[in-house]
Amino acid sequence: MDRFSQISVRTNRYSVPVRLIGRTVRAMLHASELVVYDGQQEVVRHERLIAKGQARLDLDHYLEALVRKPGAFPGATALEQARSAGKFTPVHDAWWEAAKAAHGERDGTRALI
């Protein structure tokens, strides 16, 4: 696993929780999904990417790191993927804006995370 909390499987990259950075994980590639294990414990399940050179990033995998560096949150690729997938909705954005207005940019973003 690399320092960006991603593993490479064939020609694609998939996120794993940041707590696993530096650990060796095992990936099982199936027809429609990828399952990642830390020892015997399943840690993540991603829909398999078919085209080459793509990345599937789960925003939840990065929250532990982003709470320490909230300035990286607005430009995070995982955030954009979450928005595109409908997992980070306008309701989340509205809550984030309200939190930033009440607590400032950094602390409001931390409150969201």
Side-chain angles (χ1 to χ4, degrees):
M1 176 180 346
D2 68 13
R3 65 188 181 103
F4 299 108
S5 192
Q6 297 172 20
I7 60 170
S8 295
V9 178
R10 302 237 170 141
T11 61
N12 294 315
R13 293 173 299 132
Y14 298 86
S15 67
V16 294
V18 295
R19 64 182 161 74
L20 298 175
I21 290 175
R23 296 182 57 95
T24 300
V25 296
R26 180 174 45 101
M28 299 289 294
L29 190 60
H30 301 285
S32 61
E33 67 183 1
L34 171 85
V35 184
V36 180
Y37 296 90
D38 179 25
Q40 297 298 315
Q41 182 181 9
E42 180 181 317
V43 290
V44 67
R45 204 173 270 265
H46 284 290
E47 181 180 338
R48 183 178 177 174
L49 295 166
I50 303 302
K52 294 181 178 183
Q54 293 184 320
R56 170 114 32 228
L57 308 178
D58 186 334
L59 182 59
D60 289 345
H61 294 162
Y62 297 98
L63 296 179
E64 186 179 324
L66 289 169
V67 78
R68 291 187 309 252
K69 295 182 78 175
F73 187 72
T77 304
L79 175 60
E80 291 309 313
Q81 284 191 9
R83 279 190 172 122
S84 296
K87 294 178 181 177
F88 195 91
T89 66
V91 172
H92 292 99
D93 274 317
W95 195 93
W96 187 13
E97 288 303 319
K100 289 191 297 187
H103 304 290
E105 186 83 22
R106 185 189 70 205
D107 291 335
T109 300
R110 276 196 177 121
L112 172 72
I113 294 169

